[in-house]
C-alpha cells in the first residue's frame, strides 16, 4: 500500500515541486512545470483521505472535516519540508503538497540583482511587494531577503503566514513566525497586534483584502520595513490592484499613502530552462523613485511602464528586458519567453537591438 512518505520521497527524487492527490486518478507530480502521473493505480476516496490525513494532527483533521479545506505545513525526515492544501472535491478528500527547500537560495542563484536586493534589505522602513502567479517563486524570493536581513542586522523580524513555509532560525535578528490558524485566527488579528510586538521587519504572507493592505501600508508608514505578496503579473497591475480594493472615496488617500510608503515591486515568473531540465526566474523590478512616487500620487499608473523601460541606472527593468537577457545568455528559449508576454513585439525589438 503506497504511503505519503513514499510519494513525497519520489517527488524529491524526481526534482518535482508539487504532489497532487485526487480520486479516480493516480497521484501526479509537477516536474519543470508539467504534471506527470505516478506509476500507480488510481486512488480511491479511501486512499486520498488516508494519505492526506497521515500528515495531519487530530486538530487539523477536525478542522478539515469542519471547514472542508485546510492549509498547513510540516517536515518529513529524510524528504524535506512541505506546504499542504487539503480540501474536498466532489465529496472526497484531495490535496496538493508543495516542496519547500530547507536551503534558502542566494539572490545570485535566484537570478535577482545583488545590488538592488541588498539596497532593499538595508532599508529601515517602507513597503516591498513580491508579486506573481501561484508557483512563481514569491516565497523563495522573500525567504532570501529575510535571510539576508537576519544575518546582517540586529532587530526583530515577524512573519505572518498561512501556512509557514521557510523556517528561519534566529541569527543576528530575533525571528518570530506566526501561522494563521495555529498562532492567530486571521491575518487581520495578527496585524492588529503586531505593532505591540516591537517589530523592525514584518512579512505578511499575502495581502489578500482591504484590511490587510491597509494594515501593511500603516506598518510601512510607521517606520517598519514591510514585505508582502500579491497575485499580480506586472508593476502597473499591482498599483491598480491595491487601489481598486478600496472604495472610490478612499482611493485618493490610498494613492497618497502608497506613494510615500512603497519602496519596490518585484514581479516574477518561472520559465522552463532551454536545457529542458529545471526552471529559470524572470523578473520585472520597480524602484520607487521621486518620478514614480509622483505618478502613483496623481493616479497615473499607466505611465509607470515608460519609467521602468528607462530606469536601468537605479535598478529597474521590465519583464521583457529580463527575458531578453535570459534569451541572450541561452538560459531560456525565445518561444517560451514570447508565450509569457502580452506584447511579444517588445521582446523582439530588444533582442534585435542587442544584436
Amino acid at each position: 500500500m503506497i504511503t505519503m512518505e513514499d510519494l513525497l520521497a519520489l517527488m524529491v527524487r524526481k526534482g518535482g515541486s508539487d504532489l497532487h492527490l485526487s480520486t479516480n486518478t493516480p497521484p501526479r507530480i509537477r516536474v519543470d512545470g508539467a504534471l506527470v502521473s505516478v506509476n500507480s493505480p488510481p486512488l480511491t476516496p479511501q486512499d486520498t483521505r488516508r494519505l492526506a490525513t497521515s500528515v495531519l494532527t487530530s486538530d487539523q483533521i477536525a478542522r478539515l472535516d469542519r471547514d472542508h479545506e485546510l492549509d498547513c505545513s510540516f517536515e518529513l525526515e529524510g524528504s524535506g519540508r512541505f506546504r499542504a492544501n487539503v480540501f474536498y472535491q466532489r465529496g472526497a478528500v484531495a490535496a496538493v503538497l508543495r516542496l519547500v527547500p530547507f536551503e534558502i537560495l542566494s539572490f545570485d542563484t535566484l537570478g535577482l540583482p545583488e545590488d538592488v536586493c541588498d539596497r532593499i534589505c538595508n532599508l529601515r522602513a517602507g513597503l516591498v511587494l513580491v508579486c506573481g502567479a501561484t508557483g512563481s517563486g514569491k516565497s523563495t524570493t522573500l525567504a532570501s531577503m529575510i535571510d539576508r536581513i537576519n544575518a546582517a542586522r540586529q532587530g526583530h523580524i515577524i512573519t505572518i503566514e498561512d501556512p509557514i513555509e521557510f523556517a528561519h532560525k534566529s541569527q543576528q535578528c530575533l525571528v518570530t513566525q506566526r501561522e494563521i490558524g495555529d498562532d492567530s485566527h486571521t491575518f487581520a488579528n495578527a496585524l492588529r497586534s503586531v505593532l505591540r510586538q516591537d517589530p523592525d521587519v514584518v512579512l505578511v504572507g499575502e495581502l489578500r483584502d482591504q484590511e490587510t493592505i491597509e494594515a501593511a501600508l500603516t506598518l510601512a508608514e510607521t517606520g517598519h520595513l514591510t514585505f508582502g505578496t500579491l497575485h499580480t503579473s506586472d508593476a502597473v497591475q499591482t498599483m491598480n490592484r491595491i487601489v481598486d480594493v478600496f472604495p472610490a472615496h478612499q482611493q485618493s488617500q490610498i494613492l497618497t499613502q502608497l506613494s510615500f510608503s512603497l519602496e519596490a515591486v518585484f514581479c516574477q515568473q518561472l520559465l522552463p530552462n532551454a536545457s529542458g531540465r529545471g526552471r529559470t526566474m524572470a523578473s520585472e523590478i520597480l524602484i520607487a523613485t521621486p518620478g514614480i512616487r509622483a505618478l502613483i500620487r496623481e493616479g497615473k499608473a499607466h505611465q509607470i511602464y515608460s519609467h521602468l523601460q528607462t530606469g536601468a541606472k537605479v535598478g529597474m527593468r521590465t519583464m521583457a528586458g529580463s527575458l531578453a537577457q535570459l534569451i541572450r545568455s541561452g538560459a531560456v528559449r525565445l518561444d517560451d519567453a514570447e508565450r509569457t508576454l502580452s506584447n511579444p513585439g517588445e521582446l523582439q525589438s530588444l533582442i534585435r537591438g542587442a544584436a
Side-chain angles (χ1 to χ4, degrees):
M1 185 180 291
I2 196 165
T3 67
M4 183 66 89
E5 289 82 356
D6 296 332
L7 290 170
L8 293 176
L10 178 63
M11 178 171 74
V12 172
R13 287 198 304 274
K14 286 183 172 292
S17 60
D18 299 86
L19 170 67
H20 290 247
L21 304 176
S22 190
T23 56
N24 303 318
T25 185
R28 297 171 189 247
I29 295 173
R30 189 172 296 279
V31 182
D32 298 336
L35 210 53
V36 181
S37 292
V38 171
N39 185 16
S40 166
L43 299 173
T44 66
Q46 293 76 23
D47 290 330
T48 57
R49 182 175 179 87
R50 171 181 58 82
L51 289 165
T53 58
S54 69
V55 294
L56 302 181
T57 66
S58 56
D59 285 346
Q60 289 170 334
I61 294 171
R63 275 163 46 199
L64 170 65
D65 289 337
R66 183 191 68 214
D67 301 334
H68 284 192
E69 52 202 351
L70 174 77
D71 282 312
C72 65
S73 58
F74 62 92
E75 289 183 20
L76 204 59
E77 190 174 352
S79 293
R81 183 172 176 82
F82 301 90
R83 182 185 78 191
N85 180 261
V86 188
F87 55 98
Y88 275 79
Q89 66 97 21
R90 300 182 69 178
V93 171
V96 179
L97 297 93
R98 170 158 296 175
L99 175 64
V100 180
F102 282 124
E103 180 189 7
I104 296 175
L105 301 177
S106 67
F107 299 135
D108 185 57
T109 303
L110 290 173
L112 293 170
E114 188 94 20
D115 57 339
V116 174
C117 292
D118 265 339
R119 203 187 323 152
I120 296 300
C121 292
N122 285 327
L123 292 169
R124 296 292 159 174
L127 179 64
V128 178
L129 300 173
V130 179
C131 309
T134 301
S136 61
K138 298 187 296 294
S139 298
T140 305
T141 294
L142 284 172
S144 186
M145 291 187 176
I146 292 299
D147 189 61
R148 179 64 60 91
I149 295 169
N150 189 14
R153 286 165 57 172
Q154 292 177 308
H156 186 195
I157 300 169
I158 298 179
T159 77
I160 303 168
E161 302 171 76
D162 183 20
I164 291 170
E165 295 190 50
F166 288 85
H168 294 273
K169 293 182 179 178
S170 297
Q171 299 177 50
Q172 293 297 313
C173 288
L174 170 66
V175 182
T176 300
Q177 295 190 260
R178 305 194 69 202
E179 181 165 303
I180 301 305
D182 288 339
D183 303 314
S184 182
H185 290 302
T186 65
F187 274 106
N189 286 351
L191 285 164
R192 274 196 293 270
S193 65
V194 75
L195 282 172
R196 294 190 288 272
Q197 294 157 11
D198 188 30
D200 297 287
V201 178
V202 179
L203 184 154
V204 186
E206 187 180 342
L207 301 178
R208 55 176 61 171
D209 53 32
Q210 179 180 331
E211 197 167 10
T212 54
I213 292 172
E214 206 161 13
L217 287 169
T218 300
L219 280 167
E221 275 189 318
T222 53
H224 305 86
L225 181 55
T226 306
F227 293 91
T229 70
L230 281 168
H231 288 89
T232 48
S233 59
D234 59 56
V236 174
Q237 187 186 74
T238 300
M239 301 299 109
N240 292 331
R241 175 70 59 83
I242 289 172
V243 175
D244 289 347
V245 163
F246 293 86
H249 72 271
Q250 203 176 343
Q251 289 181 359
S252 177
Q253 172 201 334
I254 294 305
L255 285 168
T256 301
Q257 279 186 278
L258 189 59
S259 72
F260 285 121
S261 61
L262 185 70
E263 290 293 344
V265 179
F266 292 74
C267 296
Q268 54 191 55
Q269 55 184 303
L270 296 175
L271 288 85
N273 284 342
S275 65
R277 289 289 297 168
R279 291 189 289 174
T280 294
M281 181 193 293
S283 59
E284 180 169 284
I285 301 174
L286 176 145
I287 303 296
T289 61
I292 293 286
R293 294 186 192 281
L295 290 176
I296 294 172
R297 192 162 50 250
E298 294 163 10
K300 298 178 178 177
H302 60 283
Q303 294 182 20
I304 286 175
Y305 195 74
S306 61
H307 285 246
L308 280 171
Q309 290 174 308
T310 58
K313 286 185 178 179
V314 294
M316 288 197 264
R317 67 186 184 195
T318 63
M319 184 61 74
S322 177
L323 289 168
Q325 186 177 345
L326 291 172
I327 290 165
R328 288 194 293 269
S329 69
V332 301
R333 293 184 295 269
L334 175 61
D335 57 339
D336 287 328
E338 285 182 325
R339 278 195 288 269
T340 70
L341 293 172
S342 58
N343 179 20
E346 182 185 358
L347 178 60
Q348 293 280 7
S349 298
L350 288 168
I351 293 170
R352 282 197 302 270

